[in-house]
Amino acid sequence: MSEYEFISTQTQDTLDFAKRLAALLQPSDVIALEGDLGAGKTTFTKGLALGLDITRTVNSPTFTIIKEYNGKMPLYHMDVYRLSDSSEDLGFDEYFEGSGVTVVEWAHLIEEQLPEEILTIQLRHTGDDTRKIVLQPKGPRYEQLCKELFS
Ligand SMILES: Nc1ncnc2c1ncn2[C@@H]1O[C@H](COP(=O)(O)OP(=O)(O)OP(=O)(O)O)[C@@H](O)[C@H]1O
Ligand SMILES: [Mg+2]
């Protein structure tokens, strides 16, 4: 499986990178965001939202598992960290196959429910303000997307 890397040296870098990715996204794209607490998953999602012309502030959906934002196309922001039963089906497929882009923080917790083709993005702490962002595309759609993003 191919991997693509981006080094972010400040919050703004992560926002800008996510914004560039957003420009290439299409309805029904699904992104899995992985990384420790504070790695920057929500920050990355904020960047995606900016790129989709979403004006509402995106924050961690702590008490709701799924939040929906409207922009150029809808953004479905999920954080499944606090989902007590990971096999519980909250109708995720409706989002994955919907007319917007889905972003799932802590996606591996609902691994069995994720679509087969997905773009996994790992944010790794490498310092206070530095992050290594690793993209792992699964399926031709996301391979192509990464090629474009890194061309
Ligand atoms: N290069 C960077 N990229 C992203 N965030 C950074 C960077 N440097 C510093 N930060 C800071 O790290 C914090 C990341 O918090 P954020 O809420 O995005 O993480 P998270 O992965 O969503 O955490 P949680 O697991 O709690 O949901 C923010 O305060 C952000 O400003
Ligand atoms: Mg978060």
Side-chain angles (χ1 to χ4, degrees), residues 47-110:
L48 288 177
L50 286 170
L52 295 173
D53 297 334
I54 288 162
T55 48
R56 250 174 77 207
T57 305
V58 171
N59 41 41
S60 280
T62 307
F63 300 107
T64 35
I65 300 293
I66 304 169
K67 268 198 194 171
E68 186 171 339
Y69 298 89
N70 287 308
K72 230 163 43 179
M73 63 184 146
L75 173 68
Y76 312 122
H77 182 201
M78 304 181 183
D79 186 330
V80 297
Y81 187 69
R82 282 173 191 80
L83 197 64
S84 47
D85 175 5
S86 63
S87 62
E88 188 183 355
D89 184 355
L90 297 178
F92 295 119
D93 279 351
E94 305 246 339
Y95 293 95
F96 298 153
E97 291 157 18
S99 55
V101 169
T102 306
V103 172
V104 191
E105 296 191 37
W106 301 99
H108 69 274
L109 296 175
I110 56 159

Side-chain angles (χ1 to χ4, degrees), residues 112-127:
E112 280 92 77
Q113 303 199 54
L114 296 175
E116 209 157 297
E117 301 202 349
I118 193 163
L119 177 60
T120 299
I121 300 180
Q122 298 195 14
L123 291 122
R124 298 183 189 150
H125 257 114
T126 48

Side-chain angles (χ1 to χ4, degrees), residues 8-11 14 36-43 60 79 105-106 128-131:
S8 166
T9 59
Q10 50 176 324
T11 301
T14 300
D36 296 340
L37 288 167
K41 299 179 294 297
T42 299
T43 301
S60 280
D79 186 330
E105 296 191 37
W106 301 99
D128 281 351
D129 292 324
T130 56
R131 304 288 187 271

